[in-house]
Amino acid sequence: MSEADEKIVILGGRGMLGTDLANECETRGIDFEIFDLPDFDITNEEHLRSILKDTCTVINCAAYTNVEKAESEPELAYKINAEAVGRLGILVRKKDIWVLHVSTDFVFDGTNDRPYLETDPPNPINLYGRTKLAGEKLLIESRCRCCIIRFEWTYGLNGNNFIRKLLAKAKQQGKLKVVDDQIGSPTATTEAAKVICDVVGKKPKGVFHYASDGYVSRFGMAGFIVEKLGMSVELESCKTGDFPTVAARPLNSRFNCGKIKKLLSQIIKPWQKPLEDFLGQL
Ligand SMILES: NC(=O)c1ccc[n+]([C@@H]2O[C@H](COP(=O)([O-])OP(=O)(O)OC[C@H]3O[C@@H](n4cnc5c(N)ncnc54)[C@H](OP(=O)(O)O)[C@@H]3O)[C@@H](O)[C@H]2O)c1
């Protein structure tokens, strides 16, 4: 099949990232099709087989993404994030289909004192992270032609993310207490979608890290949002330990994105501009 005939199949195409990816494909004139719950279930082998018939590129954005709930639904999270991804690998290998699988910074424990490289040993500290890491491993073990891109701190118009939760809380309480010891790079799903489309054009193998350029704490990010939206909210910093959650969070989510920059010969935009654009759309 030539590049011109190529169809991109987006699994989880109605989710936060999947929606922006579908929009980006449309903008670029890329032929694509989306599959998602309830009519498509990635854990159903027959569903997977039926959509792999005439395709030559698969992008897997389907995932169990509720980090807190995963702790009490480990079997379901594992089935979607790991088992189904391994099965996808076996099926695409038989057809020699290249697959791009989306993963996360939550495969790391966040104890590194520098940005994470793709070669750094993973060590997830919550159930969601363990299932995502298991998915990566099963996909690689299937020996299919695959690329894994890990993203971090993503936000988009079509999802319930940190920003939406923050704004809801500010509206409800008039004040915000935000952790200042979790550091990362807020990354717009619109930017992630562009990168995915660029990577599809190259079809590399292996693991890549992608995040917006620069780093900020959750508290710093909240301050930026409050300022840009001109909100009158009381903002207070606290530590992760003051904010008990069911699932542990890595403190350092920073990525070294040198590998993907080299692959695409691109610079990456600083996190502020896409976030400002996003806030303008709310
Ligand atoms: N959000 C972040 O901060 C973040 C950071 C790094 C990496 N990621 C990764 O980015 C990818 C996309 O996540 P997202 O943020 O776009 O989350 P999302 O909005 O929850 O998207 C996931 C999509 O997968 C679908 N899905 C769930 N179970 C499925 C199943 N059994 N079969 C088929 N589809 C299923 C969901 O449908 P329902 O909504 O109906 O359940 C949803 O449409 C995931 O791999 C995630 O791990 C996310």
Side-chain angles (χ1 to χ4, degrees), residues 12 14-18 36-37 40-43 61-63 65 80 102-105 128 132 151-154:
R14 291 191 197 101
M16 184 168 77
L17 175 61
D36 208 327
L37 288 174
F40 167 81
D41 184 345
I42 196 172
T43 66
C61 301
T65 56
I80 298 169
V102 176
S103 194
T104 166
D105 60 297
Y128 165 74
K132 290 294 292 183
F151 293 107
E152 61 168 280
W153 286 26
T154 52

Side-chain angles (χ1 to χ4, degrees), residues 6 58 61 63 70 74 86 111 155 165 174 177 184 209 221 233 240 254 266 274:
E6 190 173 290
V58 175
C61 301
T111 57
Y155 61 87
K165 287 179 197 157
K177 214 170 161 182
H209 287 173
M221 182 182 172
V233 215
T240 298
R254 292 175 297 154
Q266 276 178 14

